[in-house]
PDB file of all heavy atoms in Angstrom:
ATOM      1  N   SER A  51     -21.195 -10.805  -8.818  1.00 67.00           N
ATOM      2  CA  SER A  51     -21.963 -11.915  -9.382  1.00 67.00           C
ATOM      3  C   SER A  51     -23.185 -12.251  -8.528  1.00 67.00           C
ATOM      4  O   SER A  51     -24.141 -12.840  -9.010  1.00 67.00           O
ATOM      5  CB  SER A  51     -21.071 -13.146  -9.526  1.00 67.00           C
ATOM      6  OG  SER A  51     -20.522 -13.505  -8.275  1.00 67.00           O
ATOM      7  N   ASN A  52     -23.144 -11.857  -7.257  1.00 68.00           N
ATOM      8  CA  ASN A  52     -24.263 -12.146  -6.356  1.00 68.00           C
ATOM      9  C   ASN A  52     -25.140 -10.915  -6.126  1.00 68.00           C
ATOM     10  O   ASN A  52     -25.819 -10.815  -5.116  1.00 68.00           O
ATOM     11  CB  ASN A  52     -23.741 -12.664  -5.014  1.00 68.00           C
ATOM     12  CG  ASN A  52     -22.989 -13.960  -5.170  1.00 68.00           C
ATOM     13  OD1 ASN A  52     -23.326 -14.769  -6.025  1.00 68.00           O
ATOM     14  ND2 ASN A  52     -21.974 -14.158  -4.374  1.00 68.00           N
ATOM     15  N   GLY A  53     -25.117  -9.970  -7.044  1.00 70.00           N
ATOM     16  CA  GLY A  53     -25.917  -8.762  -6.903  1.00 70.00           C
ATOM     17  C   GLY A  53     -25.077  -7.606  -6.409  1.00 70.00           C
ATOM     18  O   GLY A  53     -23.854  -7.667  -6.367  1.00 70.00           O
ATOM     19  N   GLY A  54     -25.747  -6.530  -6.018  1.00 79.00           N
ATOM     20  CA  GLY A  54     -25.048  -5.333  -5.583  1.00 79.00           C
ATOM     21  C   GLY A  54     -24.965  -5.224  -4.072  1.00 79.00           C
ATOM     22  O   GLY A  54     -25.769  -5.793  -3.343  1.00 79.00           O
ATOM     23  N   ARG A  55     -23.962  -4.495  -3.619  1.00 81.00           N
ATOM     24  CA  ARG A  55     -23.812  -4.240  -2.196  1.00 81.00           C
ATOM     25  C   ARG A  55     -23.095  -2.898  -2.021  1.00 81.00           C
ATOM     26  O   ARG A  55     -22.388  -2.446  -2.908  1.00 81.00           O
ATOM     27  CB  ARG A  55     -23.042  -5.359  -1.507  1.00 81.00           C
ATOM     28  CG  ARG A  55     -21.606  -5.525  -1.979  1.00 81.00           C
ATOM     29  CD  ARG A  55     -20.984  -6.801  -1.428  1.00 81.00           C
ATOM     30  NE  ARG A  55     -19.566  -6.904  -1.709  1.00 81.00           N
ATOM     31  CZ  ARG A  55     -19.050  -7.320  -2.853  1.00 81.00           C
ATOM     32  NH1 ARG A  55     -19.844  -7.675  -3.845  1.00 81.00           N
ATOM     33  NH2 ARG A  55     -17.751  -7.384  -3.026  1.00 81.00           N
ATOM     34  N   MET A  56     -23.310  -2.284  -0.883  1.00 87.00           N
ATOM     35  CA  MET A  56     -22.641  -1.041  -0.531  1.00 87.00           C
ATOM     36  C   MET A  56     -21.518  -1.386   0.435  1.00 87.00           C
ATOM     37  O   MET A  56     -21.741  -2.070   1.437  1.00 87.00           O
ATOM     38  CB  MET A  56     -23.614  -0.066   0.118  1.00 87.00           C
ATOM     39  CG  MET A  56     -24.806   0.276  -0.762  1.00 87.00           C
ATOM     40  SD  MET A  56     -24.346   1.034  -2.313  1.00 87.00           S
ATOM     41  CE  MET A  56     -24.246   2.723  -1.823  1.00 87.00           C
ATOM     42  N   VAL A  57     -20.304  -0.915   0.123  1.00 87.00           N
ATOM     43  CA  VAL A  57     -19.147  -1.225   0.954  1.00 87.00           C
ATOM     44  C   VAL A  57     -18.502   0.085   1.406  1.00 87.00           C
ATOM     45  O   VAL A  57     -18.242   0.961   0.579  1.00 87.00           O
ATOM     46  CB  VAL A  57     -18.117  -2.084   0.189  1.00 87.00           C
ATOM     47  CG1 VAL A  57     -16.973  -2.497   1.092  1.00 87.00           C
ATOM     48  CG2 VAL A  57     -18.770  -3.316  -0.420  1.00 87.00           C
ATOM     49  N   PRO A  58     -18.258   0.226   2.718  1.00 88.00           N
ATOM     50  CA  PRO A  58     -17.618   1.455   3.204  1.00 88.00           C
ATOM     51  C   PRO A  58     -16.132   1.488   2.879  1.00 88.00           C
ATOM     52  O   PRO A  58     -15.513   0.447   2.626  1.00 88.00           O
ATOM     53  CB  PRO A  58     -17.843   1.393   4.716  1.00 88.00           C
ATOM     54  CG  PRO A  58     -18.011  -0.051   5.017  1.00 88.00           C
ATOM     55  CD  PRO A  58     -18.608  -0.686   3.794  1.00 88.00           C
ATOM     56  N   MET A  59     -15.581   2.692   2.886  1.00 90.00           N
ATOM     57  CA  MET A  59     -14.144   2.891   2.704  1.00 90.00           C
ATOM     58  C   MET A  59     -13.616   3.704   3.881  1.00 90.00           C
ATOM     59  O   MET A  59     -14.289   4.613   4.349  1.00 90.00           O
ATOM     60  CB  MET A  59     -13.850   3.734   1.454  1.00 90.00           C
ATOM     61  CG  MET A  59     -14.082   3.098   0.145  1.00 90.00           C
ATOM     62  SD  MET A  59     -13.603   4.244  -1.183  1.00 90.00           S
ATOM     63  CE  MET A  59     -14.851   5.524  -1.030  1.00 90.00           C
ATOM     64  N   TYR A  60     -12.413   3.420   4.313  1.00 90.00           N
ATOM     65  CA  TYR A  60     -11.789   4.254   5.344  1.00 90.00           C
ATOM     66  C   TYR A  60     -11.337   5.568   4.700  1.00 90.00           C
ATOM     67  O   TYR A  60     -11.260   5.693   3.478  1.00 90.00           O
ATOM     68  CB  TYR A  60     -10.648   3.525   6.058  1.00 90.00           C
ATOM     69  CG  TYR A  60      -9.617   2.874   5.157  1.00 90.00           C
ATOM     70  CD1 TYR A  60      -8.615   3.632   4.552  1.00 90.00           C
ATOM     71  CD2 TYR A  60      -9.635   1.513   4.923  1.00 90.00           C
ATOM     72  CE1 TYR A  60      -7.652   3.039   3.746  1.00 90.00           C
ATOM     73  CE2 TYR A  60      -8.686   0.907   4.124  1.00 90.00           C
ATOM     74  CZ  TYR A  60      -7.693   1.678   3.535  1.00 90.00           C
ATOM     75  OH  TYR A  60      -6.754   1.095   2.732  1.00 90.00           O
ATOM     76  N   LYS A  61     -11.048   6.564   5.530  1.00 93.00           N
ATOM     77  CA  LYS A  61     -10.785   7.924   5.044  1.00 93.00           C
ATOM     78  C   LYS A  61      -9.592   8.018   4.093  1.00 93.00           C
ATOM     79  O   LYS A  61      -9.631   8.758   3.115  1.00 93.00           O
ATOM     80  CB  LYS A  61     -10.602   8.892   6.209  1.00 93.00           C
ATOM     81  CG  LYS A  61     -11.893   9.189   6.924  1.00 93.00           C
ATOM     82  CD  LYS A  61     -11.689  10.170   8.058  1.00 93.00           C
ATOM     83  CE  LYS A  61     -13.025  10.380   8.769  1.00 93.00           C
ATOM     84  NZ  LYS A  61     -12.908  11.345   9.849  1.00 93.00           N
ATOM     85  N   THR A  62      -8.532   7.277   4.345  1.00 93.00           N
ATOM     86  CA  THR A  62      -7.354   7.332   3.487  1.00 93.00           C
ATOM     87  C   THR A  62      -7.695   6.842   2.081  1.00 93.00           C
ATOM     88  O   THR A  62      -7.250   7.420   1.092  1.00 93.00           O
ATOM     89  CB  THR A  62      -6.204   6.482   4.073  1.00 93.00           C
ATOM     90  OG1 THR A  62      -5.957   6.913   5.401  1.00 93.00           O
ATOM     91  CG2 THR A  62      -4.942   6.612   3.242  1.00 93.00           C
ATOM     92  N   ALA A  63      -8.500   5.794   2.000  1.00 93.00           N
ATOM     93  CA  ALA A  63      -8.919   5.274   0.692  1.00 93.00           C
ATOM     94  C   ALA A  63      -9.805   6.288  -0.025  1.00 93.00           C
ATOM     95  O   ALA A  63      -9.645   6.538  -1.221  1.00 93.00           O
ATOM     96  CB  ALA A  63      -9.642   3.945   0.849  1.00 93.00           C
ATOM     97  N   ALA A  64     -10.751   6.873   0.713  1.00 95.00           N
ATOM     98  CA  ALA A  64     -11.647   7.862   0.112  1.00 95.00           C
ATOM     99  C   ALA A  64     -10.862   9.069  -0.387  1.00 95.00           C
ATOM    100  O   ALA A  64     -11.134   9.591  -1.482  1.00 95.00           O
ATOM    101  CB  ALA A  64     -12.709   8.289   1.120  1.00 95.00           C
ATOM    102  N   LYS A  65      -9.866   9.493   0.377  1.00 96.00           N
ATOM    103  CA  LYS A  65      -9.042  10.642  -0.027  1.00 96.00           C
ATOM    104  C   LYS A  65      -8.234  10.320  -1.286  1.00 96.00           C
ATOM    105  O   LYS A  65      -8.168  11.120  -2.222  1.00 96.00           O
ATOM    106  CB  LYS A  65      -8.110  11.064   1.104  1.00 96.00           C
ATOM    107  CG  LYS A  65      -7.280  12.283   0.766  1.00 96.00           C
ATOM    108  CD  LYS A  65      -6.388  12.692   1.917  1.00 96.00           C
ATOM    109  CE  LYS A  65      -5.640  13.946   1.533  1.00 96.00           C
ATOM    110  NZ  LYS A  65      -4.233  13.887   1.775  1.00 96.00           N
ATOM    111  N   ALA A  66      -7.625   9.148  -1.319  1.00 96.00           N
ATOM    112  CA  ALA A  66      -6.839   8.741  -2.492  1.00 96.00           C
ATOM    113  C   ALA A  66      -7.736   8.639  -3.719  1.00 96.00           C
ATOM    114  O   ALA A  66      -7.351   9.058  -4.820  1.00 96.00           O
ATOM    115  CB  ALA A  66      -6.137   7.408  -2.232  1.00 96.00           C
ATOM    116  N   LEU A  67      -8.937   8.119  -3.537  1.00 97.00           N
ATOM    117  CA  LEU A  67      -9.876   7.983  -4.643  1.00 97.00           C
ATOM    118  C   LEU A  67     -10.352   9.357  -5.123  1.00 97.00           C
ATOM    119  O   LEU A  67     -10.445   9.601  -6.325  1.00 97.00           O
ATOM    120  CB  LEU A  67     -11.057   7.109  -4.227  1.00 97.00           C
ATOM    121  CG  LEU A  67     -12.025   6.706  -5.324  1.00 97.00           C
ATOM    122  CD1 LEU A  67     -11.321   6.043  -6.497  1.00 97.00           C
ATOM    123  CD2 LEU A  67     -13.097   5.781  -4.757  1.00 97.00           C
ATOM    124  N   GLU A  68     -10.619  10.248  -4.191  1.00 97.00           N
ATOM    125  CA  GLU A  68     -11.057  11.602  -4.570  1.00 97.00           C
ATOM    126  C   GLU A  68      -9.969  12.332  -5.357  1.00 97.00           C
ATOM    127  O   GLU A  68     -10.250  12.964  -6.378  1.00 97.00           O
ATOM    128  CB  GLU A  68     -11.436  12.406  -3.330  1.00 97.00           C
ATOM    129  CG  GLU A  68     -11.949  13.800  -3.667  1.00 97.00           C
ATOM    130  CD  GLU A  68     -12.409  14.556  -2.439  1.00 97.00           C
ATOM    131  OE1 GLU A  68     -11.864  14.331  -1.334  1.00 97.00           O
ATOM    132  OE2 GLU A  68     -13.323  15.386  -2.597  1.00 97.00           O
ATOM    133  N   GLU A  69      -8.723  12.236  -4.900  1.00 96.00           N
ATOM    134  CA  GLU A  69      -7.618  12.873  -5.633  1.00 96.00           C
ATOM    135  C   GLU A  69      -7.519  12.320  -7.050  1.00 96.00           C
ATOM    136  O   GLU A  69      -7.318  13.064  -8.001  1.00 96.00           O
ATOM    137  CB  GLU A  69      -6.293  12.668  -4.898  1.00 96.00           C
ATOM    138  CG  GLU A  69      -6.134  13.529  -3.679  1.00 96.00           C
ATOM    139  CD  GLU A  69      -4.798  13.324  -2.978  1.00 96.00           C
ATOM    140  OE1 GLU A  69      -4.131  12.282  -3.200  1.00 96.00           O
ATOM    141  OE2 GLU A  69      -4.421  14.207  -2.200  1.00 96.00           O
TER     142      GLU A  69
END
Side-chain angles (χ1 to χ4, degrees):
S51 58
N52 298 327
R55 63 190 188 279
M56 302 300 274
V57 185
M59 289 182 292
Y60 50 79
K61 288 181 182 182
T62 305
K65 183 179 183 229
L67 188 54
E68 182 176 30
E69 285 181 341

